[in-house]
Structures are given as structure tokens and as C-alpha cells.
Amino acid sequence: MESITRALLIVQIYCSFCDGLNDVDGYFSWSHGNRTELYCPDTCLSVNHPDKCCSCDGRRCWDVIPANCTLEDAQLEYSDIFGNTFIITSINSSFLKLEHINGRLTRLPENLCTFSEQLVYVDLRGNRLTDVSSIRCLHKLDTLRLDYNQITEIDNTTFTKMKDLRVLSLRNNPIKSLGPNVIKLEYGDAILNVDLSDNKEIEIVDISNIVHAGPFCEVSYKNSSLETISNELNYTVVEHHGPGDISLESTNIGSFINFSTIGVNDYAELGHYFSGTIAVDETSIQCDCSIYPMLSSTIDQVILDLWPNLSSGFICENPESMKGKDLRVAYDEGNFDDLTCNIGENPDCPSYYCHCIEQPSQNKITVNCSAVGFKSLPPTMPIGSWGLNKIDLILAKNDIQKIENRDYLSRLVNLDLSGNIITEFDENAARELTATVNIEDQRLQTLPLALTNKDPNDYTFGENPVLCDCSNIWIGDWIRFRNGYDRLNCEVLDFVSPAENVYSSTLDCNTYSKLSRAELTAIIASIIATLIMLMIVIRICFYFRFELFLIQRRLRKKQYMENPHTEMHDVFISFYTENQEVFKSVRRYLRPTLIKSGYSVFIPCFDIILGEVDKETIEAVHKSKNFVIVMCDNYANDFESNVEFESIWTNFTNDNSKFVIVINYDNLNSASVKDRRLRALKRTEPCLDFSETNSRLISRLVKLMGPPRKKAEQCDVRDGDTDNEKDDVDKTDDKKYVTSRKYEASESYDKSMNSRYETPDVFNRLARPKSGLCNCQYRVCYLHDDAFGPRKIIP
């Protein structure tokens, strides 16, 4: 299958260019991306990677057919003793070659960009150039050789416009700074041959200057001082890289390329992203943990193709654990325990004296802090590469006396505290620990109760016994039920016994009558917590007792109670009559609008003429179907509205068929309402906002009350006239008939702030009822001697 695929690939490469430049014997046309087509030798068709072969051996026309594609030489002329030059040529050629080797150039020729359409080959090796940024104008350039100069910096805009740049050589320059994507051309193409070897100043190189998307020949950093591969732009792999070769031999890089940092999370998939070779030797990398992910998970053929040095044997020089060992043997045997990394410089490594070693084959970090003088557990633990966070913590031979809780305890796989006199073991620490624990030199009096959920076989307690009595009788059961025999000794009375031999009878404990201190404390704490919660619930229920009652009342099924009275009022309206604004709103708007809608409305100050006002009010409340409370600041604080509200509350709570509707006239919040019953009504029963439009307020009110019982025959409807209506009093007698109730003074008060007295004439109204209306009068009785005298009305 592989041979068929390869044959099809060769045919595709060859035939896709059969109309190009294949009229030259021994060559066919080849290109990749946006670069100009190259002449590729026919021999590349017979190799495993034809694209890589063409990247290395492809030629331009002046190399293959110089007779038809001439490459002419351009000359340099010095203009001064400082190494300044300019190009001179008398040939008008399409392709120019500038070659000046081992000269004294200190800068590029002054008129270099004049020949940007012709210069394709520039060789300035062995000069004194320090800055070559102006060469970016040569966008036709094919080959650029700048070896053995004094160049210190190359940025990523220098070559990006040179879409045909095939060969770039910068050997033996003191380059210190190499920006990301320096060797990446516009539109994503790559320079096919890049030589940055023998650079003794370069220490950090971005990954984008090493790997290439698409085919290339070679990128070489051989014999350089390269130490670190960075990834400044967070580059990740999205397409196939190569085929192409990367040379990192004789560098200081220290570790193999970490492909996980560029998106290859599964090294078994490495062959899908990369092809070619990476040349490293025993002098350039260490046989440490950095190569473990690739060796342990990559398919054999993939790793051997990618790292050819491994096939012939790779004798390691570093680290000490692998020195002199053949890495190929470790690879064949699958034994990678010695592939470790020292991360002692990690800021979370507890101390300079501690050794923090990554061991990915064991999925852990070994932190060895033996005999460093610690008096307590260290505060932090490191996290290694690839998210490695399991810790093997060795704290032997220190002065630690207490096992305290630390946030890394759940990460421990082993805790060695041998040689420490442990006298305290924190309960929370015991709960968090899931590791094997060595406390063989402990002097514990007792053990934390949290150990009952642990395996005693994970603990080494040593020969020293713990005190066993009736307060910790669970220790013996724990050892027996978990099969932890011979792990722990108990001091019982005046002798020492294995913990598994300690029973309640041994200690003479009555387990039914005696409780341990911990158990007793837990019981008392639970009782106190329950009582506190009960008191809180009772207090809340008492505070909201009226709300709870109203909610319960609402949940009960509505049952209509027959009223013995044949005449029922549709609605009883209660409000604070001394509030002038409320009084006007009820008299001028609310009452007449409801009456015109067919509702029988009862308002004490309008409908009670003479008699026992309180008694008639209570009777009217009893005969009403709905109650409307117009709530304002002082409602239920005066005697009259308080009597009305008490009667409304009694009837409402006793008769499940009646409704209370609250109109919040002053937009009061619940905290402003002092009466808890009224506050509960506002919270749970229908509540209307008087700031709503009149029509919306009435429509919502009517919807809540339901239809009227029958067309109301309300007396004196005009008493609720609007501002545009007049009292229906016979005009000929309007001087004789003066309003008799004190609230007509309120209307006078609205019209004139200076008028604060009225002279009532009750008997005129009683004597002359309006034609066609019943004799309804205002609720004012004057039964004392001053009934007809002036009466001051307090607004």
C-alpha cells in the first residue's frame, strides 16, 4: 500500500508540471507556494521524499540553461576609505550577480535598491557588515550569502518580501537577536536552505525559526551557542511540517524539541505533523526527562526516522543518572526511570538544599530534603513539565514534630518522616493524606480519627506505642478490620500490646454507657446546632406570622359564606380622612368611577349620616364583599381608620370568600409600614400603585374585585364630582344649603388656603333632599350645643 501511494505521489508531481519547463533533459518543473518554478532533477522522483529532494537540489534557469538565461556579474566600486561602495554595471541583463568576498565593506552598497529587479544572487562573505536591513528591497533575490561578517541582529521584516529566496547563509556572525519568523516568507512560504551555524552569540531561538510548514531542505544551527528554544508568538501546529532536516548538533540546547509546546499533545501522532530528521548528538542534548514523552509514546519507525542518531546507538553524557548509558538500549527495553530532570531552581522547590527531580516515567517529582534542619513541613511543592504534580517527599532526619495541613498533601504519593520525633498529627492533614507515610520514630499519644478511612498498611508507625484507652477504642477495630496486623503498638494500662489485640474488654470499657470525648463533643455540638436552628426558624416564623397566615389562607379553597344580610356592598373603601390628597382622590375619582361602573360603594365618611358611627362601620364592613385600603403614611394611626382596619382584618380573616386590595398611595416600602398585619397584606395580597394611570388603576381594581352584584343605587353620586362637575343643588337655594360635613371644608381648603372654618347647616340638607335621590348625608353629627358654631378644620 505504501509503495502504491508513493508511486501516485511521484506521478502527480511529475504530471502536474508537464506543461512547464520539462523540455530540459534530466529536469522537471517544481514549485511550492508562490515561489518561481525550479528545475528539479529527475532523480528526485525515485527518492522517498521528492519534495525535500527538490528543495535541496532544485535549480534556477541560469544554473541549468545558462545560454538562454544569462546571469551577469555586477561590480562594486569603493567611494571612500570607510568601506562605502556603489554598484556599477554596463550590462542590461534580467539577472545580475553581485559577488564581493573578503572585502572591507562596512555597509551595503548605496545604490543597491536601484537593481532590485535584477539582483538575484548576492555573495558578500568575509566583510565587515553589521546592518543588512536595507537589503529587504531585493525582492527578486534567490541566493544570499553573508557569512563571516559582523551582523548582530536580524528582524522578521528583512527577508519577508523575497518570495524566491532559496538559499540564506549567515554562518559565523555574532548574531544575538533573531526575531520570530525571520526565515518565514510572505504568504507562509519558507526559505529552503538556511544556515545559521557557528554563531557563538546566539542563545535563544524562536521555534518559528526552526520548523517549517511545507517542504524545505535544511535549517542548521550546528556548532552554535544555542541554549533555549522559545515560542514568543504561541505558535501551534496546524499543517504538515517538512519534509526537511533540522541540525542542532554541537549546541548547548540541552534537551530535545518539546513538541507538546506547539500543539502535539499525543506524541504518537507526531508523524502526522512532521517528517524529516532532527540531528542532535550526545554533546548537544541531555538524556533527561525532556525526551521521555517522545521515546515513550512515539511509534518506533517515526522516532527512528525523526532521530537517525538513535539507530546507531546514542551514548549519553548527561545527566549523571544516564552517563555512559546507551539510550537506544533504554528505548528498546522501555526502561526510562533514569530519564530525570533537576528542577532545583524552580521557585517552589522548598530550599536551596533540597533536590527536586522530575521523573516522568514514574509520574512524579522527587523532593529530597533530608537532614536540612526543617522544623515544620515545607510550605510549597513544585509542579513539573507536562503538568507533572505528584510528589515523593523525603523529609528524613529533620526536626519536625507536627504533621500540619498543607495544600499539597493530596498530591503526595509518599511522605518519609523517618528520623523525626512526631508528637502531633493534625486531623485535617490526616484527612488530606492519601500517600504512604513513614513516621517510624513517632511519639504520638493518640491518632487522628480521620485515619479510620485510610489503610493502616500505608503507614509505618515503628515500635513506639500510642496510648490506647476507652476514648480511642476504635484503633483496635481499625487495625483488625483493615488487616493492618503488626503495624502499630498500643500502650494499655501498664503493658504494650499489638493494636489488633486491644478490645473494649481489654480496657474494661462499657461501650454502651461511656462515650469518648470526641463522640461526646460531637453529640453536644449537634444538639446545640439543632437548637440554634430551631430558634432561628421560630423567630423567622414569628416575625412573618401574618404573611404565613395569609399565604396559608390563600392556598385554602375559596368557600363562599352566606351572609344573612340581603343587601351587600360590593366594596368598602377605607382611608385616612385627614390626608387631604387621599381624600380628594377618593371623593373626586375613585368613588364616582366605581359607582358609574355599577359597584355599590360604602365609605363611612360619605355614607354614615347619624348614629353610632363605629357600630355602623363594623356592620358595613360585615356586609361588604371586597375591601379597598388606600394606604398612606398615617393610615391606621388615627381612631377612625384604626376601627375600620380592625373590623376589615377580623372579617377578612374569618371569611375566606372576601378580598382585601391595597392601594399604595404614597408608594411606601414595607419597612415604612408599622402595623405588621398591614405590612403582610401589602406583601401577600393584591397591591396597586396609585402612581399608575387612572384607567389602568381602575381596570386592575375591577379585575381583582370581579363583576358587581347588581347595578348600584348609590345615593348622591354627585358628591364624588370631579373638578369639572358641580354639586347638584338647586341654584335658587344654593345660598341656603351649605354643606354640613367637615370634609366639605377640605374642598374649601383646596380652593383657598386662607379659609380654615366652615358653618355647617345639616338640617337644610336633611329637609331638602335632592329630587330623584335618596336622602344620603355626610357623616357628621352635631349633638352638642356648639353644633352650629364655627368649627376649625385641621388639614
Side-chain angles (χ1 to χ4, degrees), residues 287-313:
C287 301
D288 59 14
C289 65
S290 64
I291 62 176
Y292 169 77
M294 185 173 62
L295 293 178
S296 62
S297 59
T298 306
I299 301 172
D300 289 353
Q301 194 56 50
V302 174
I303 181 60
L304 295 178
D305 289 344
L306 188 67
W307 190 358
N309 296 30
L310 190 63
S311 300
S312 58

Side-chain angles (χ1 to χ4, degrees), residues 34-81:
N34 294 281
R35 72 172 59 253
T36 301
E37 294 178 353
L38 299 176
Y39 288 90
C40 183
D42 289 342
T43 54
C44 288
L45 294 173
S46 60
V47 300
N48 288 332
H49 298 292
D51 280 340
K52 180 179 180 299
C53 179
C54 292
S55 298
C56 295
D57 298 333
R59 298 290 183 265
R60 296 294 295 271
C61 64
W62 53 81
D63 294 322
V64 177
I65 47 174
N68 298 332
C69 184
T70 305
L71 179 63
E72 301 291 347
D73 290 330
Q75 301 298 322
L76 277 183
E77 183 172 307
Y78 284 89
S79 58
D80 53 37
I81 61 173

